[in-house]
Structures are given as structure tokens and as C-alpha cells.
């Protein structure tokens, strides 16, 4: 593969969001089969396009390229038959004694190319808006998810999904998901996020509210205990944050820790990385016109556009102001139904 073809291929992979590493021969001391400028693209499956050396050098280059994809760090490889001299050692330089190759020296620079991480922000709250803006500025590809989201309200987001379909959105992706709906549809959103491939699932909530959400997940859904344990709630590093922007900063700092492998709470294979069944009790169907908008538990009137928590009883769909009211109703509907509830015609 010619150098210009390598560059074109790299541009194509970058545009598609595919991870890869580029290995380039930067110096040689003959005899070697490679020349300065020889390069290759190494894919996550270990395959290589191009030429960076013979049968002795290439497997080593592939191995180190895969390591660079794992840790995100470039490295300079020096392949020689001689042990390295102390004066040549340096950060980012990996000295390799190769007894099987032709006897010369190869210096090969390996650079990983990783797609920008995906940040999915659930909700339309001020914290959600601040996190979307800050995440985009830090180089994350931001998607805002909410059935009532206004795309004009999130100018920094790459995409605004006017939907509640967290589970089905980009099923092959492994996003970092932060639920910042602040009580509006925390339970449903967290439940769906924990049952898909994800690199991180966090909830913006107080410790008390986070405990309520965890209890709901255990009691009302099929989410396993390992998935519940993967939830970061409250999300973010404790910086003493108070404003929406400060809270967003604390959350983004935690996301960076996870991404860079510096978060001590991430146990292999990491949080929320195993997809499971969709929680049976999670209700996220589209809002229908023929529903009762008066919450039968607390008596609050629910705006039709904001109706998220729905339950059906005897052929009638009821809307609730919160998941707490819905849960109480589902456990004993007759205790809350009376002639005072206005049924649809």
C-alpha cells in the first residue's frame, strides 16, 4: 500500500469512527527489509494493511499497536539485536531485543487513532444542558435524549433524539450515559441504560433519591444486581459543586477518569458492559391521547406533553407525576381509584 493510499485509508476510517493505529518506520540501520516512511494500518482484530517489516518485526508491531489502542498512548518502538543503552532510554520509547531478525535496527512510531467518545445526556434540565455544552467542548460526541427535547436548546450537541428509546438507539455503540432528568423519568431511563452496552451509566441525584431509584430497579424490573451495582449515583466527583455548570464539570471529570482507566470504582470488565433483558416494568411507550391525566395517587394534573409514567388498569391508561406514584398505583390500583377520577369518553 502506497503512503498516499495509507493516508486516504486512514481518513476513511476516521470518518467512519473506526479505531485503528498507524505504524510508521522513522529510522533504520541496515540490513532491514523496511525503509523510512514505510507504514501500515493496524486494525483492532490484529490485521494490518501496509508494510512495516518482515515476519519477525511485524507481529511485534501489531502487538504494540493493539496495546496502544487499549491505552490510547503512542509509542516509539526500537527493534534491535542489541540490548538498549541507558542513554537511549526515554518516555514513550519501547526497546525490544529481536534475535530473530536480520541484524539491523528499526525505529517505528505507533500512533493510535480512537474515535471521539460518545456522551449521551438524558433530560432537558439545566444540568443536562451544561453537561452537553461542556462535553462537546471537551471533544465528546454528545447526544441529548428526551421526548420533549428542543434541538435549538442544545446547540453544542451533535444530535438531539426526541425520543425515550435509550435501549434501541445505536445498538452497537457503547456510550457513556448520564441521566440528568432530575426525577422526571430517572427510573425508566436508568433501567434502559443498564440493559444495553454502555461504558458508564450515571444518575444525577442526591444519595436519598439514588437509593430510591436502586430500590425500584431491584423491586420492579428484571435488571440484575450486577447491573444495579454498576450505576454511579450520585454521578460525578465530589468537588463541592453547586451550580449546574459546576455539577456538569464534576460529572465530566468522572467520565474522563473512567475513559482513561483511572477510576478506582471500575472493576473489569467495567460498568454496564453486559447487555441484559429490557426491564419488564419499564414503561416508555409513546404517549397516547386517550389517557387520564389526573394522577390517581396524588391528585396532580399531568401535562399531556410531559406524561412519562403510564400504567394501564382495566383498559384505561393513567398518567402519573412520578415513578413513585406509578409504583404505588401498580401495587394496589383499587386503593386509588374512585368516582372522582375523570375517565376518558
Amino acid at each position: 500500500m502506497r503512503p498516499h493510499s495509507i493516508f486516504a485509508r486512514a481518513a476513511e476510517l476516521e470518518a467512519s469512527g473506526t479505531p485503528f493505529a498507524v505504524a510508521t518506520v522513522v529510522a533504520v540501520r541496515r540490513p532491514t527489509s523496511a525503509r523510512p516512511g514505510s507504514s501500515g494500518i493496524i486494525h483492532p482484530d490484529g490485521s494490518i494493511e501496509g508494510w512495516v517489516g518482515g515476519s519477525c518485526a511485524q507481529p511485534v508491531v501489531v502487538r504494540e499497536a493493539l496495546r496502544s489502542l487499549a491505552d490510547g498512548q503512542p509509542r516509539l518502538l526500537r527493534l534491535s539485536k542489541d540490548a538498549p543503552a541507558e542513554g537511549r532510554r526515554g518516555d514513550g520509547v519501547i526497546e525490544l531485543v529481536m534475535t530473530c531478525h536480520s541484524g539491523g535496527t528499526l525505529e517505528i512510531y505507533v500512533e493510535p487513532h480512537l474515535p471521539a467518545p460518545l456522551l449521551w445526556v438524558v433530560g432537558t434540565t439545566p444540568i443536562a444542558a451544561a453537561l452537553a455544552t461542556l462535553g462537546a467542548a471537551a471533544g465528546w460526541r454528545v447526544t441529548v435524549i428526551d421526548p420533549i427535547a428542543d434541538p435549538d436548546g442544545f446547540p453544542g450537541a451533535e444530535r438531539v433524539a426526541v425520543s425515550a428509546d435509550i435501549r434501541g438507539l445505536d445498538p452497537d455503540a457503547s456510550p457513556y450515559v448520564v441521566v440528568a432528568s432530575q426525577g422526571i423519568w430517572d427510573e425508566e431511563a436508568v433501567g434502559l441504560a443498564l440493559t444495553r452496552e454502555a461504558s458508564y451509566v450515571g444518575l444525577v441525584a442526591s444519595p436519598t433519591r439514588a437509593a430510591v431509584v436502586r430500590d425500584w430497579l431491584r423491586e420492579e424490573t428484571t435488571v440484575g444486581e450486577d447491573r444495579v451495582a454498576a450505576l454511579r449515583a450520585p454521578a460525578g466527583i465530589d468537588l463541592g459543586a453547586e451550580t449546574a455548570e459546576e455539577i456538569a464539570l464534576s460529572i465530566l471529570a468522572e467520565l474522563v477518569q473512567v475513559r482513561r482507566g483511572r477510576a478506582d470504582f471500575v472493576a473489569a470488565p467495567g460498568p454496564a458492559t453486559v447487555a441484559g433483558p429490557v426491564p419488564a416494568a419499564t414503561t416508555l411507550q409513546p404517549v397516547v391521547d386517550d389517557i387520564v391525566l389526573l394522577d390517581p395517587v396524588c391528585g396532580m394534573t399531568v401535562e399531556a406533553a410531559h406524561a412519562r409514567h403510564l400504567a394501564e388498569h382495566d383498559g384505561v391508561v393513567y398518567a402519573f407525576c412520578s415513578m413513585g406514584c406509578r409504583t404505588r398505583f401498580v401495587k394496589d390500583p383499587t386503593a386509588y381509584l374512585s368516582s372522582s377520577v375523570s375517565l376518558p369518553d
Side-chain angles (χ1 to χ4, degrees):
M1 185 178 286
R2 295 180 179 180
H4 73 272
S5 298
I6 286 285
F7 299 145
R9 179 63 170 144
E12 176 185 311
L13 293 171
E14 287 272 17
S16 67
T18 302
F20 65 96
V22 174
T24 303
V25 178
V26 296
V28 302
R29 187 174 65 197
R30 300 192 183 283
T32 66
S33 59
R35 295 179 297 175
S38 297
S39 58
I41 290 175
I42 297 91
H43 299 277
D45 63 0
S47 62
I48 182 170
E49 299 180 60
W51 177 260
V52 290
S55 60
C56 187
Q58 182 168 299
V60 175
V61 174
V62 169
R63 182 192 69 199
E64 294 299 328
L66 294 179
R67 288 176 175 172
S68 79
L69 290 174
D71 62 24
Q73 298 300 314
R75 57 255 284 146
L76 177 64
L77 312 181
R78 183 177 290 119
L79 286 66
S80 174
K81 67 181 180 64
D82 302 317
E86 285 296 328
R88 290 211 316 257
R89 296 184 184 275
D91 291 343
V93 178
I94 298 176
E95 303 271 6
L96 298 163
V97 178
M98 304 295 291
T99 58
C100 69
H101 81 8
S102 56
T105 299
L106 279 172
E107 293 189 2
I108 301 174
Y109 180 65
V110 177
E111 181 180 22
H113 291 253
L114 299 170
L118 303 177
L119 171 56
W120 291 6
V121 181
V122 180
T124 58
T125 62
I127 292 175
L131 183 57
T133 299
L134 190 60
W140 296 65
R141 297 176 59 188
V142 178
T143 294
V144 174
I145 305 171
D146 197 281
I148 63 167
D150 179 2
D152 292 337
F154 300 91
E158 178 180 275
R159 173 177 60 175
V160 175
V162 186
S163 167
D165 188 18
I166 300 170
R167 168 75 180 192
L169 187 65
D170 298 344
D172 294 331
S174 182
Y176 294 72
V177 183
V178 178
V179 177
S181 57
Q182 294 185 262
I184 298 175
W185 59 305
D186 293 352
E187 288 87 348
E188 302 99 320
V190 169
L192 288 178
L194 286 175
T195 57
R196 63 161 295 142
E197 293 281 349
S199 297
Y200 171 98
V201 178
L203 172 66
V204 178
S206 67
T208 301
R209 175 65 182 148
V212 170
V213 172
R214 288 191 176 97
D215 288 343
W216 181 86
L217 290 169
R218 294 186 179 103
E219 296 172 5
E220 302 295 332
T221 78
T222 57
V223 174
E225 185 58 36
D226 59 338
R227 299 297 90 216
V228 176
L231 174 65
R232 288 294 293 175
I237 297 172
D238 186 4
L239 302 177
E242 295 184 0
T243 67
E245 291 75 17
E246 289 172 347
I247 294 170
L249 177 62
S250 74
I251 295 169
L252 189 61
E254 183 167 89
L255 297 182
V256 171
Q257 277 192 331
V258 174
R259 184 189 177 204
R260 299 302 184 187
R262 302 294 297 273
D264 56 11
F265 60 83
V266 177
T273 56
V274 180
V278 176
T282 298
T283 303
L284 287 174
Q285 66 265 38
V287 175
V288 295
D289 293 331
D290 195 19
I291 63 175
V292 176
L293 294 175
L294 182 66
D295 186 329
V297 176
C298 69
M300 179 180 293
T301 298
V302 180
E303 294 183 30
H306 295 182
R308 315 288 181 85
H309 314 286
L310 307 177
E312 184 271 339
H313 179 69
D314 285 346
V316 178
V317 177
Y318 297 89
F320 301 85
C321 70
S322 68
M323 182 52 68
C325 284
R326 181 188 180 278
T327 298
R328 289 193 288 273
F329 177 84
V330 169
K331 288 182 177 179
D332 188 6
T334 58
Y336 299 101
L337 295 178
S338 67
S339 58
S340 61
V341 177
S342 300
L343 298 178
D345 296 331

